[in-house]
Structures are given as C-alpha cells and as structure tokens.
Amino acid sequence: MDSVTESFFKLLFLLSIHDWNTVVAGNKYNCDDQLVSALPQSSFSSSSELSSSHSPGFARLNRRDGAGGWSPLVSNKYQWLQIDLGERTEITAVATQGGYGSSDWVTSYLLMFSDSGRNWKQYCQEESIWAFSGNTNADSVVHYKLQHSIKARFLRFVPLDWNPNGRIGMRIEVYGCSYRSEVADFDGKSCLLYRFNQKPMSALKDVISLKFKTMQSDGTLLHREGQNGDHITLELMKGKLSLLINLGDAKIHSANAQINITLGSLLDDEHWHSVLIEHFNNQVNFTVDKHTHHFHAKGEFNYLYLDYELSFGGIPISGKSGTLSRKNFQGCFENIYYNGVNIIDLAKRHKPQIYIVGNISFSCSEPQMVPVTFLSSSSYLALPDMSGQDEVSIGFQFRTWNKEGLLLSSKLYQASGGLLLYLSDGKIKMSLYKPGKPQSDISAGAGLNNGQWHSVFLSAKRNRMSIMVDNDGTLSAHATVPMQIYSGDTYYIGGCPNNGNGSDCKSPFVGFQGCMRLISIGNKAVDLISIQQNSLGNFSDLQIDLCGIIDRCLPNYCEHGGECSQSWNSFYCNCTNTGYMGATCHY
C-alpha cells in the first residue's frame, strides 16, 4: 500500500471512530432539557426537613410555594437533597437557588450520583472530588455546566457550607436528556459469543467499546483467539484491567510474543467504567475511563491469526490458548459495540450471530451494598451490643492504603480490660488486655493495605480468641487466654471519640482511614442506613453509603521508572536505582 493510500485509510478510520464515539457516547448537541420541573412529589427526598412547608418537594427552581425551598431540620454537613429521575439519564448541568425571600442559601455543595439509591459516587473533576460554588443570596440562580456528563438515575446535593446568618436552603434544577442504555447481567457462570463475517474494512480497523460494573475484583471481560493459540484477552485482575495480546507460536515470534498493558484501579466499586480498544494496523489505543495508553504492536498483529468470534464475560470452551483457568465476569455490561455493531441489542433480539452460554438477563441487578468511609484519624462508629454475652463475634470487610489503624475497640463486661483489633504494618492484629494479666496477641494476613477489599471475622468465647482473614483457613490465628471473655455494651469501630465525650474507648493506635462494608455483630448485619438516620448508634466524620477511596498512584506521577506507593492522604515515589531524585524522581 503506498503512503498516500495508507494516509487516506488512516484518516477514514479516525473519522469513523469520531462518528462512532459521538453516537455511542450519546453526546447530543442539545442535551439540556429541564429534568426536575416535571417530576412528581414522590421523586424528591431528603435527610430531614425543618417543617412540612420546607419539604424537598418545594425544592424546584423558582418555586415560591410552601416556605419557598427545602431546608433540613438541622444545618450540618450530614444533610442532603435527593431526586429520582425514574431511569438512567444523561445529566449535563445543574442549577441552584436559596430559599425564596430568606437568608437561607448554600454557598458550596457536593454532587453525588447512583443507579440504585445506594452506594453513591461523588462527582469528580480533574482527578479530584469537585466542590461546586453555590449561591450568594436567596434568589439568584447559579448554573454549572458539568465538564463531563453523568449517567445516573439518582442525584444527591450535599451542602458543604451555607450562609452563616441563615441555614441550609435550596431550590434546584437539573439539565440533560434521555440516555440509551442496553444492559446485560452476567452471573459469573455465563458468557456471550458474537460470531461475525469478515468485512473488507475490518482488516484496517477494530473498535471495541463497552461499559461494565462489578463488585468482583477478577473476571474475564473479553476474549478472542485463533487457531495457533494466538489470543487477545481483556481481564479484570485485582480491580485493574489488563489487556493481554499473546502470540501462540512463541518460538517463531519470540521477540515480542506477549504484550500486557494494565490500566485503571479500584474498578470493583459497583460503578460504571468505560473501556475503548482501538486497533489500526499495528497501532493500539487502550482507554479505561479517561486514561489512554497508546502502543505500537511491532508487527504482532500481522502474525495474529484470530477467529471471527468474540466472547464477552468469559471463555466458553476449552481454549486452545490454555486460558480455561480464568474466572468468568460477574456483573453488568452496558452498550457493548464492536465496529459499530450493538452486541447486546443483537442478543436481546435472539439474532443468529449471537450465542449465549449460561444465564444472561437484560436488566442490571443492583446489590443493596452500603459502604462507609472513615475520612480522618478522628472518625469513629459506635455500635451497641448486648452486654455480658459469653461470646463476641464480629465480621466486616475493609479497604485502605494505610499500614496502621484501629479497626475495633471494646471494653469487656465487668472487667477493666478490653479487646483491640488493629492494622499494624499491613497485618491484622488482635489484642486482649487486662491489668495484672499478660497481654494476649494474635495476628493474621499480610499486605492488607493494598487498596483491595479484605474480610475479617473475629470471635472470642470464654477463654479462646481467633481471627480469620479473607475466609481463608490458612490466614487464621487462634490463642487461649488466661481470662473469661464476656462482651461489653459498645463496639467502637475505626477509632475512638475524643476524651471529652466521656467514652470508655481507649486505644494507643491511630484511627482507621478507609472504607468498610458488611459489618455484622453476632452474625447479624448492622443497618448502616439506620445509623445515618440517627436511629442506631452514633458516629463522627463518616460518609455513609459511599466508599471514598481513590488511587493516588493513578495516573502515576513518578517519573523515570520511580515506584509509586501511597497512604490515604498522599503518595510517595521511590527513586532507588533510577538515577533521579526528588518528590517525583524528576531531577
């Protein structure tokens, strides 16, 4: 092919990608309809309301009835105003006002979104959580065009600051348009095959796009292979996406027989993530969310002999490439496109080029998971228990970047001693202490500050205590203790209240910073929403119903091969053996 013809085809390919992206992303030129004004009263809810005339139903922009807007019972940072749009919708802009003719307005707020009304996600911009500037008086409207649109059913406004001479007061509008969404739910034992005919243009380009969401940290999203063991696999591994390109006959092509590119992090958060793979000749662009890796395949694609078959969600048959050990995907896909073909739409219409293995449903199940974020070393959650029980049993899952932190503290019944569970150097440690008695310590697990979800179950009965990590019997520890164990009346999770609160919580360790979920006491699940509504236990400096963990090593700011590591608040670059120095190995 001469250079002019090749340039022409490259231009044609890039134009086709641009047109395709515009269609698939749903970017419409006039996606700015008012979404709130037509909603019924039942679509509005809030953390609380000052009175019936301050209810969330009065929170529509420019409304003057009732008290002229929503105000919560108490003005603090735990209040929120929520709308249910009825279905997943594309949201492009928001607008706020204060309470009509009052001194009540919000000066800054967070925007959160969700598909299910649980497990919220905070709107981020430029890699950080975005605080919106609010109002400076009661009646002026402040519009904000979102830098990137949100696709969600539920939207929540969380006031951060308000007029110091008034209280929280809000009227709102949301702008956007309907969003075309084709979804498929995979149960971890199923996959979907697309068999296609080779077209003259497909030798020039391959474009695959999809969105996915899952709570599982591992699973195969995409697989394509050929006769000689050649294959391309897109796989979720420990919450990161790995694109593997493998030449089956490594003896012939030993120089670069395998390419493995990893992108993304914390992708097992049950929120939507987008993937785009663009392949033109030997040039490959791999994009996860807003991060793209460009690479040149050095001739490998000239050697790849691939079948005209793509599988999504797993590998259906005993693979020629020996990849049967890979775990199937469990979760939801949305808007799968291969070279502009809507795969899920074909599957729903039972088209002959689609073959379904196992059970796939065309609606997305929403696990009612309620995570909680411990924001600072002064965060804590206090939960009641039946005092004097002869058995203590507590379970939970956590994820963090910190090596140290208090997970649990409890004073034991009729004893001056207590029970401590904490992270130390990335290990779980459990201590039982009583004045005049030797302290009993056991530890389990290692490297548990890697940002992954880890489960912990502790039990203590009579004079024996044990802990298990990640449901793995090999990661468990037991000890016999020289005292009888009876449960106290309160468990402090994540930290202790400051001493001014008169609590009996004592800990020599810093507070936990990270996320927890699935907390249970005595094999009974703790209702975190009841805690959020102040009807159970008490807490401080928590975010309930979201996990606010972020990966500060993505993107990696360490230069020249410097190794990035992180804590909850910051990241560090190890410049050893790079020949460079400085905070990011730049000099």
Side-chain angles (χ1 to χ4, degrees):
M1 184 186 294
D2 62 56
S3 60
V4 175
T5 307
E6 185 174 359
S7 298
F8 168 75
F9 278 123
K10 282 185 178 179
L11 178 61
L12 191 64
F13 169 60
L14 292 171
L15 286 171
S16 71
I17 289 176
H18 176 268
D19 293 341
W20 171 85
N21 277 334
T22 302
V23 172
V24 171
N27 294 329
K28 304 168 184 64
Y29 293 107
N30 53 353
C31 185
D32 55 4
D33 301 334
Q34 292 186 0
L35 302 177
V36 170
S37 55
L39 291 175
Q41 291 285 101
S42 59
S43 297
F44 296 80
S45 58
S46 62
S47 51
S48 65
E49 55 190 56
L50 182 62
S51 70
S52 58
S53 59
H54 292 85
S55 72
F58 295 116
R60 304 167 204 264
L61 208 67
N62 297 318
R63 285 284 289 272
R64 300 183 179 187
D65 49 345
W70 164 72
S71 287
L73 182 61
V74 180
S75 291
N76 62 28
K77 62 183 179 180
Y78 297 116
Q79 305 301 325
W80 44 263
L81 172 65
Q82 179 177 315
I83 55 171
D84 177 0
L85 297 169
E87 61 182 1
R88 285 193 75 211
T89 304
E90 183 165 5
I91 299 152
T92 58
V94 294
T96 60
Q97 273 178 311
Y100 172 66
S102 71
S103 56
D104 306 335
W105 60 83
V106 170
T107 56
S108 71
Y109 61 94
L110 296 176
L111 198 60
M112 292 162 46
F113 56 96
S114 168
D115 282 351
S116 63
R118 287 283 175 269
N119 186 31
W120 295 81
K121 189 169 186 177
Q122 299 177 106
Y123 177 80
C124 291
Q125 200 164 288
E126 294 157 3
E127 308 296 340
S128 61
I129 296 163
W130 189 258
F132 292 79
S133 296
N135 300 87
T136 54
N137 58 47
D139 292 304
S140 297
V141 178
V142 175
H143 286 86
Y144 194 92
K145 179 77 173 175
L146 301 184
Q147 190 179 76
H148 53 87
S149 66
I150 294 169
K151 285 85 174 178
R153 173 176 169 176
F154 295 89
L155 206 60
R156 187 177 274 189
F157 293 78
V158 181
L160 293 176
D161 296 292
W162 46 91
N163 178 19
N165 299 316
R167 61 173 63 245
I168 291 172
M170 290 192 91
R171 288 176 285 171
I172 59 166
E173 183 56 87
V174 176
Y175 303 89
C177 55
S178 60
Y179 172 66
R180 185 184 177 192
S181 173
E182 302 277 7
V183 297
D185 197 320
F186 290 67
D187 62 3
K189 301 173 185 175
S190 50
C191 63
L192 187 154
L193 273 71
Y194 171 53
R195 296 184 173 117
F196 52 94
N197 295 319
Q198 181 79 332
K199 296 179 182 177
M201 278 297 289
S202 65
L204 286 171
K205 69 179 177 70
D206 261 328
V207 183
I208 302 171
S209 90
L210 56 87
K211 286 188 173 183
F212 73 92
K213 72 173 177 179
T214 181
M215 285 174 53
Q216 306 301 316
S217 58
D218 301 282
T220 300
L221 276 74
L222 167 71
H223 182 75
R224 186 179 178 188
E225 67 178 74
Q227 300 300 316
N228 301 320
D230 300 352
H231 65 92
I232 301 173
T233 305
L234 180 66
E235 187 173 12
L236 197 60
M237 301 175 71
K238 293 188 176 179
K240 301 184 178 189
L241 268 185
S242 175
L243 179 63
L244 176 69
I245 300 166
N246 190 77
L247 288 170
D249 198 339
K251 293 177 182 176
I252 301 174
H253 317 297
S254 57
N256 287 289
Q258 187 165 292
I259 296 173
N260 196 347
I261 306 296
T262 299
L263 277 181
S265 181
L266 309 171
L267 301 177
D268 54 343
D269 58 359
E270 191 61 18
H271 290 288
W272 289 108
H273 298 282
S274 59
V275 180
L276 179 62
I277 302 169
E278 303 163 300
H279 154 221
F280 170 72
N281 283 348
N282 300 339
Q283 185 65 39
V284 181
N285 301 329
F286 177 35
T287 304
V288 177
D289 295 330
K290 296 182 288 293
H291 301 282
T292 301
H293 187 99
H294 308 275
F295 63 96
H296 194 72
K298 298 180 182 177
E300 278 86 350
F301 276 105
N302 293 342
Y303 296 116
L304 280 171
Y305 298 102
L306 298 172
D307 296 339
Y308 302 135
E309 178 180 282
L310 274 169
S311 68
F312 297 92
I315 302 169
I317 56 174
S318 182
K320 309 175 193 73
S321 51
T323 52
L324 195 61
S325 61
R326 285 190 165 92
K327 185 177 177 182
N328 279 30
F329 174 77
Q330 183 177 349
C332 294
F333 283 116
E334 180 187 58
N335 294 348
I336 301 174
Y337 281 84
Y338 173 68
N339 287 346
V341 175
N342 186 331
I343 304 299
I344 297 177
D345 178 60
L346 291 181
K348 286 171 73 174
R349 293 190 287 128
H350 305 288
K351 291 296 182 180
Q353 55 270 57
I354 297 290
Y355 181 67
I356 294 175
V357 178
N359 295 317
I360 294 176
S361 59
F362 297 105
S363 62
C364 191
S365 60
E366 299 286 352
Q368 294 296 297
M369 188 68 68
V370 181
V372 57
T373 307
F374 293 77
L375 291 167
S376 70
S377 56
S378 60
S379 301
Y380 74 88
L381 172 60
L383 297 172
D385 190 30
M386 290 285 289
S387 183
Q389 301 292 307
D390 69 350
E391 183 174 9
V392 174
S393 64
I394 297 175
F396 57 87
Q397 293 182 357
F398 74 92
R399 71 190 316 173
T400 185
W401 300 114
N402 289 358
K403 290 183 176 182
E404 324 286 336
L406 176 68
L407 296 170
L408 174 78
S409 171
S410 181
K411 185 176 183 296
L412 296 177
Y413 177 67
Q414 291 184 341
S416 53
L419 178 70
L420 291 173
L421 188 75
Y422 55 97
L423 272 174
S424 176
D425 194 28
K427 300 175 182 178
I428 293 277
K429 295 199 173 182
M430 183 176 173
S431 293
L432 206 59
Y433 62 92
K434 187 177 182 180
K437 300 272 187 182
Q439 183 167 307
S440 301
D441 296 310
I442 54 175
S443 67
L448 302 177
N449 58 312
N450 59 359
Q452 302 295 304
W453 283 109
H454 296 284
S455 65
V456 180
F457 183 77
L458 73 90
S459 64
K461 187 169 185 177
R462 295 188 180 92
N463 64 343
R464 185 171 172 79
M465 64 181 189
S466 65
I467 50 176
M468 181 182 288
V469 175
D470 292 337
N471 298 313
D472 186 341
T474 64
L475 299 178
S476 60
H478 314 274
T480 301
V481 295
M483 57 190 283
Q484 291 291 311
I485 300 167
Y486 296 97
S487 64
D489 57 7
T490 307
Y491 293 113
Y492 293 96
I493 296 178
C496 290
N498 56 42
N499 293 332
N501 292 356
S503 79
D504 54 11
C505 179
K506 294 179 177 60
S507 169
F509 309 107
V510 297
F512 171 77
Q513 288 176 284
C515 301
M516 289 191 188
R517 67 185 186 191
L518 297 175
I519 301 171
S520 65
I521 297 176
N523 296 318
K524 183 179 179 183
V526 173
D527 185 350
L528 288 166
I529 298 301
S530 292
I531 293 166
Q532 186 182 46
Q533 296 166 345
N534 296 310
S535 61
L536 175 69
N538 61 76
F539 63 90
S540 176
D541 209 19
L542 299 185
Q543 286 179 314
I544 295 176
D545 214 2
L546 71 88
C547 177
I549 191 171
I550 58 174
D551 191 337
R552 299 180 186 277
C553 290
L554 184 75
N556 186 358
Y557 294 106
C558 304
E559 300 179 56
H560 305 106
E563 187 177 332
C564 182
S565 61
Q566 60 191 304
S567 67
W568 187 258
N569 295 316
S570 55
F571 75 92
Y572 315 91
C573 293
N574 183 353
C575 307
T576 306
N577 300 325
T578 65
Y580 288 81
M581 58 183 290
T584 59
C585 313
H586 180 71
Y587 299 103

